[in-house]
């Protein structure tokens, strides 16, 4: 089964460049299903957290205004090859996923 | 790289690859390429594989940002796991094809003499399932589109190489039918494909800029931001036909397969660069 | 009323023939079938004025699509890039 | 619905606690009130305690002039300001203007990118909170109705 988080990392010196892509509908709660005409309930990632070797380096708080299949990229310093980056998200209906990547 | 050289190389490459090619389609293709190159003299031949992004700078920047981490990567991954899945009889998709997975996309669309029709990649994949007692996919099924995304990705960098052998009158007939379809006005708006994608190419229709037909087929399937999902080439045909207020044909109908055959032939020599990301 | 219904049926059949001819030529327009369905449903509901109006639109579109197909039998050739 | 969300927040805090949070990120609960605000100014007050920001050309906000599609508008924000605590994206004309807010730790570089939805043409504001104050820059992004793309 394909994962729901994809991570690309690039290490330049001690600066890690992190790019992430999540498979998630990011439903706003105001869209109507074109077939049934019923409002599709809100379903979106609220918080995306990155921890490097257990130390949180970024917390991204999302609203429904982040695009479907969200993309988020950032950089942090103090990284070295072999570090373990843990990416995790939670959504507004109790869904969650996480992925560990080695820099 | 020198533009003329690139063009000559690709024309040469294509004609070398198919010594039996007929003058008609090859003349058509050379004229097609000449038209777009004179219309957009600053655009290298290879760049036409990028569609509208070859000719619209502001859109291109947004596209490049999306290409940094394109949402179609999930489709490629999913398609790969489908490609590797084992059917109930123990066989796999790979067993249906003589070529490795990076050489399958470029074989289609092709005219198959024995069947007397154009076979697309989607049809070949469904035939494979049927031959292995598996239920064929609907032509707009996510599984099927993901498989084509994987095979397009594997084939990146290989040239489009549609063949019309001179000893296959059915192939030239299918090509001619696709060409007639492409240049015929239809629908309440009375538009031909060529009206938008040749005559008015680069101009705006409402908020959208019209993409060049040269290179139209290289990047499918595509992730459409508008839909938040993947669509295949023929689903795009269907959308265009609907946009000119004509009644769309079924996916994989003879009409769309012949149109795909013609359009892909026009892009011979360009690199396969699917799957793509489009707005 | 009965005469009116008979006339509707006759005109409906004719519009449908045009639509089928357009479809056979691969040139049917997107709304024609829906207009025919609406015309029929409106006629069934007894609203004949509106039914005839919808039928007229369907017939116009179907015939125009056939004419388009006839024109395009040769007209497309002049657009081919040479 | 409301109950569900509370559960989620508790869940996310539990996750965060496992990761042994450093100082800056302890307060990183999902800012529900700010995200729910229907006016940009109120969202900023809910998030940052004020709607007053100092315009700064040390912030680079990279957005398209004309969005290809309002559903996917690429946004990149970088700044040379020091000691950045958070970066936020506010889309003034969206029904709920606060699109996202990013909490930085001391080692995190002020260089983030994402993709957001825009319902209509609007000013997009990048707000950077540092230990020296709250700074911002904004740009207009035109959103047109698509439908024929490809």
């Amino acid at each position: 089964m394909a994962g729901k988080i994809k991570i690309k990392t690039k290490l330049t010196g001690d600066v890690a460049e992190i790019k992430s892509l999540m498979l998630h509908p990011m439903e706003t709660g105001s869209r109507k299903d074109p077939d049934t005409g019923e409002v599709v309930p809100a379903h979106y990632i609220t918080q995306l957290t990155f921890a490097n070797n257990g130390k949180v380096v970024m917390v991204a708080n999302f609203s429904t205004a982040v695009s479907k299949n969200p993309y988020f990229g950032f950089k942090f310093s103090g990284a070295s090859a072999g570090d373990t980056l843990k990416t995790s998200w939670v959504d507004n209906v109790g869904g969650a996923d996480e992925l560990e990547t080695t820099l | 790289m020198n533009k003329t050289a690139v063009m000559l190389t690709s024309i040469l490459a294509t004609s070398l690859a198919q010594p039996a090619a007929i003058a008609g389609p090859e003349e058509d293709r050379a004229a097609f390429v000449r038209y777009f190159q004179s219309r957009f003299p600053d655009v290298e031949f290879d760049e036409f594989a990028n569609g509208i992004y070859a000719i619209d700078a502001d859109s291109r920047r947004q596209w490049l940002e999306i290409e940094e981490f394109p949402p179609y990567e999930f489709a490629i991954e999913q398609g790969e796991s489908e490609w590797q899945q084992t059917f109930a009889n123990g066989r796999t998709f790979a067993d249906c094809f003589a070529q490795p997975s990076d050489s399958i996309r470029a074989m289609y669309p092709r005219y198959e003499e024995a069947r007397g029709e154009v076979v697309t990649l989607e049809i070949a994949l469904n035939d494979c399932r049927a031959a292995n007692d598996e239920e064929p996919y609907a032509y707009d099924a996510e599984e099927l589109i993901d498989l084509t995304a994987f095979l397009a990705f594997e084939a990146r960098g290989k040239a489009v190489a549609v063949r019309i052998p001179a000893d296959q009158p059915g192939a030239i007939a299918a090509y001619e039918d696709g060409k007639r379809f492409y240049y015929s006005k239809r629908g309440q708006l009375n538009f031909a494909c060529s009206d938008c994608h040749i005559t008015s190419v680069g101009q705006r229709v409402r908020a959208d800029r019209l993409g060049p037909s040269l290179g139209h087929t290289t990047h499918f399937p595509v992730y459409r931001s508008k839909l938040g999902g993947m669509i295949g080439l023929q689903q795009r045909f269907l959308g265009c036909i609907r946009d000119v207020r004509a009644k769309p044909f079924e996916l994989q109908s003879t009409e769309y397969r012949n149109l795909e055959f013609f359009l892909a032939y026009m892009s011979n020599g360009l690199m396969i660069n699917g799957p793509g990301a489009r707005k | 009323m009965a005469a009116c219904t008979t006339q509707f049926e006759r005109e409906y059949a004719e519009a449908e023939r045009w639509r089928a001819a357009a479809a056979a030529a691969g040139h049917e327009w997107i709304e024609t079938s829906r207009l025919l369905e609406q015309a029929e449903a409106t006629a069934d509901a007894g609203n004949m004025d509106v039914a005839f109006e919808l039928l007229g639109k369907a017939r116009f579109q179907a015939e125009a699509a056939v004419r388009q197909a006839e024109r395009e039998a040769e007209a497309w050739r002049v657009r081919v890039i040479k | 619905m409301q109950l569900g969300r509370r559960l989620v927040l508790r869940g996310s805090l539990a996750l965060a606690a496992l990761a042994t949070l450093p100082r800056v990120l302890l307060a990183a609960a999902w800012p529900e009130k700010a995200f729910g605000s229907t006016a940009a100014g109120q969202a900023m007050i809910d998030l940052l305690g004020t709607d007053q920001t100092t315009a700064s050309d040390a912030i680079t906000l990279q957005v398209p002039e004309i969005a290809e599609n309002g559903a996917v508008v690429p946004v990149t924000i970088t700044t040379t300001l020091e000691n950045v605590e958070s970066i936020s994206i506010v889309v003034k004309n969206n029904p709920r203007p606060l699109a996202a807010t990013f909490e930085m730790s001391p080692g995190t570089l002020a260089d983030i990118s994402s993709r957001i939805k825009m319902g209509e043409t609007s000013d997009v504001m990048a707000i950077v909170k540092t230990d020296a104050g709250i700074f911002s820059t904004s740009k207009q992004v035109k959103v047109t109705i698509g439908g024929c793309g490809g």
Side-chain angles (χ1 to χ4, degrees):
Chain A
M1 188 57 212
K4 291 186 172 177
I5 302 178
K6 280 183 173 289
I7 297 289
K8 289 180 184 171
T9 64
K10 193 173 121 190
L11 200 58
T12 312
D14 80 331
V15 174
E17 183 178 358
I18 309 299
K19 289 174 183 169
S20 62
L21 190 72
M22 275 64 62
L23 192 66
H24 202 283
M26 298 301 283
E27 286 291 352
T28 58
S30 57
R31 191 179 70 92
K32 280 187 182 163
D33 185 310
D35 296 328
T36 65
E38 281 172 31
V39 172
V40 182
H43 183 201
Y44 59 102
I45 292 176
T46 48
Q47 217 164 40
L48 171 66
T49 306
F50 298 87
N52 193 43
N53 285 344
K55 175 181 173 283
V56 174
V57 286
M58 168 63 76
V59 176
N61 295 296
F62 287 173
S63 72
T64 55
V66 173
S67 302
K68 179 175 179 178
N69 298 328
Y71 166 79
F72 178 67
F74 74 106
K75 293 174 182 167
F76 67 93
S77 60
S80 43
D83 283 3
T84 301
L85 180 79
K86 185 169 137 186
T87 307
S88 56
W89 59 254
V90 291
D91 70 19
N92 68 317
V93 296
D97 196 7
E98 61 176 52
L99 177 76
E100 284 196 351
T101 327
T102 305
L103 291 186
Chain B
M1 184 154 173
N2 180 299
K3 210 176 306 168
T4 319
V6 172
M7 194 176 90
L8 281 176
T9 315
S10 67
I11 290 172
L12 274 175
T14 319
S15 39
L16 282 176
Q18 40 177 303
I22 316 188
E26 213 25 49
E27 277 168 14
D28 286 350
R29 194 184 71 81
F32 211 78
V33 171
R34 260 198 320 273
Y35 175 86
F36 285 102
Q37 294 213 305
S38 67
R39 205 54 202 264
F40 304 102
D42 297 334
V43 176
E44 300 270 350
F45 174 75
D46 290 344
E47 263 296 318
F48 282 99
N50 294 325
I52 188 67
Y53 304 122
I55 63 172
D56 182 357
D58 191 39
S59 295
R60 185 186 180 90
R61 273 192 297 277
Q62 296 175 57
W63 169 65
L64 287 175
E65 286 194 44
I66 287 169
E67 282 286 334
E68 283 281 307
F69 212 149
Y72 59 66
E73 289 201 10
F74 287 112
I76 297 171
E77 191 176 280
Q78 194 59 40
E80 181 171 17
S81 71
E82 274 149 29
W83 179 257
Q84 287 163 347
Q85 76 182 334
T86 310
F87 300 135
N89 64 8
R91 295 167 66 86
T92 66
F93 276 112
D95 294 324
C96 292
F97 297 88
Q99 300 76 11
S101 59
D102 65 353
S103 305
I104 294 170
R105 171 67 272 185
M107 290 171 52
Y108 300 92
R110 57 185 291 190
Y111 184 79
E112 290 195 3
E113 186 77 349
R115 301 167 66 147
E117 61 180 1
V118 170
V119 175
T120 59
L121 178 59
E122 288 83 352
I123 300 249
L125 288 165
N126 260 350
D127 284 353
C128 176
R129 285 182 67 83
N132 286 288
D133 304 316
E134 298 282 336
E135 201 60 34
Y137 294 124
Y139 289 123
D140 57 359
E142 205 173 301
E143 292 94 334
L144 183 58
I145 299 168
D146 289 351
L147 273 167
T148 65
F150 167 67
L151 291 173
F153 184 71
E154 290 283 291
R156 276 191 180 184
K158 292 215 159 46
V160 178
V162 178
R163 302 179 61 238
I164 304 179
D167 59 353
Q168 290 186 1
I172 184 77
Y175 168 88
E176 285 294 334
D177 186 60
K179 177 173 153 187
R180 181 188 55 78
F181 189 101
Y182 179 85
Y183 286 109
S184 294
K185 287 180 185 285
R186 62 188 69 244
Q188 202 169 355
L189 300 189
N190 202 37
F191 274 174
C193 305
S194 61
D195 288 341
C196 285
H197 299 288
I198 291 182
T199 314
S200 302
V201 62
Q203 293 173 22
R204 282 188 188 278
V205 174
R206 292 180 296 173
D208 302 306
R209 218 178 265 283
L210 295 162
S213 266
L214 178 60
H216 245 160
T217 65
T218 62
H219 42 272
F220 279 86
V222 297
Y223 182 90
R224 289 291 304 271
S225 296
K226 181 171 98 168
L227 307 170
M230 305 287 296
I231 63 160
L233 177 65
Q234 295 201 4
Q235 284 164 287
R236 193 66 197 87
F237 288 167
L238 197 147
C240 268
I241 301 293
R242 204 182 40 219
D243 286 344
V244 303
R245 314 291 297 154
K247 187 183 175 189
F249 298 87
E250 299 289 323
L251 295 174
Q252 302 298 335
S253 59
T254 307
E255 286 85 356
Y256 287 168
R257 276 184 284 146
N258 290 347
L259 177 61
E260 179 173 338
F261 193 53
F262 164 76
L263 258 190
Y265 189 89
M266 290 298 105
S267 291
N268 266 358
L270 285 171
M271 297 300 154
I272 293 166
N273 59 350
R278 291 294 182 275
K279 68 170 163 186
Chain C
M1 192 62 203
C4 189
T5 311
T6 310
Q7 190 197 343
F8 179 83
E9 280 169 1
R10 200 174 52 239
E11 288 188 20
Y12 182 93
E14 201 180 324
E16 171 53 29
R17 269 196 301 280
W18 281 106
R19 189 209 59 78
H27 272 264
E28 186 178 346
W29 294 2
I30 198 166
E31 278 181 322
T32 318
S33 293
R34 195 166 47 86
L35 286 168
L36 283 171
E37 278 169 28
Q38 284 174 350
E40 199 169 28
T42 314
D44 287 348
N47 193 347
M48 296 314 286
D49 283 354
V50 177
F52 274 108
E53 196 185 316
L54 289 165
L55 190 58
K57 279 186 190 167
R59 157 71 192 253
F60 173 82
Q61 286 203 3
E63 198 176 334
V66 169
R67 303 287 172 238
Q68 183 184 52
E70 287 168 357
R71 241 182 2 257
E72 291 304 307
E74 286 304 320
W76 67 272
R77 294 183 191 280
V78 302
R79 294 181 206 114
V80 176
I81 296 295
K82 291 185 188 76
Chain D
M1 193 62 222
Q2 208 53 31
L3 194 75
R5 177 170 294 171
R6 288 213 185 88
L7 280 173
V8 169
L9 285 178
R10 213 178 306 142
S12 73
L13 284 176
L15 265 180
L18 277 177
T20 59
L21 283 169
R23 172 190 53 85
V24 191
L25 293 175
L26 274 174
W30 188 73
E32 182 172 358
K33 192 158 177 250
F35 277 132
S37 294
T38 53
Q42 188 57 47
M44 288 161 66
I45 290 168
D46 292 339
L47 184 72
L48 304 160
T50 174
D51 59 357
Q52 300 301 307
T53 64
T54 309
S56 168
D57 55 12
I59 305 169
T60 306
L61 167 64
Q62 198 184 316
V63 283
E65 263 175 59
I66 303 170
E68 263 213 295
N69 189 314
V72 184
V73 182
V75 179
T76 297
I77 301 167
T78 57
T79 176
T80 53
L81 293 168
E82 292 189 347
N83 301 325
V84 174
E85 291 169 11
S86 75
I87 298 178
S88 307
I89 304 172
V90 170
V91 182
K92 283 192 177 159
N93 293 350
N94 268 4
R96 288 187 176 73
L98 179 61
T101 177
F102 310 105
E103 309 276 339
M104 324 282 282
S105 78
T108 312
L109 307 189
D111 182 345
I112 63 97
S113 53
S114 194
R115 299 166 189 159
I116 61 166
K117 299 173 198 165
M118 291 181 61
E120 56 181 276
T121 296
S122 173
D123 281 344
V124 174
M125 206 174 173
I127 303 170
V128 176
K129 181 176 184 236
T130 76
D131 61 351
I134 299 170
F135 304 89
S136 71
T137 189
S138 75
K139 268 187 186 164
Q140 194 195 53
V141 176
K142 289 196 182 75
V143 176
T144 48
I145 299 157
C148 224

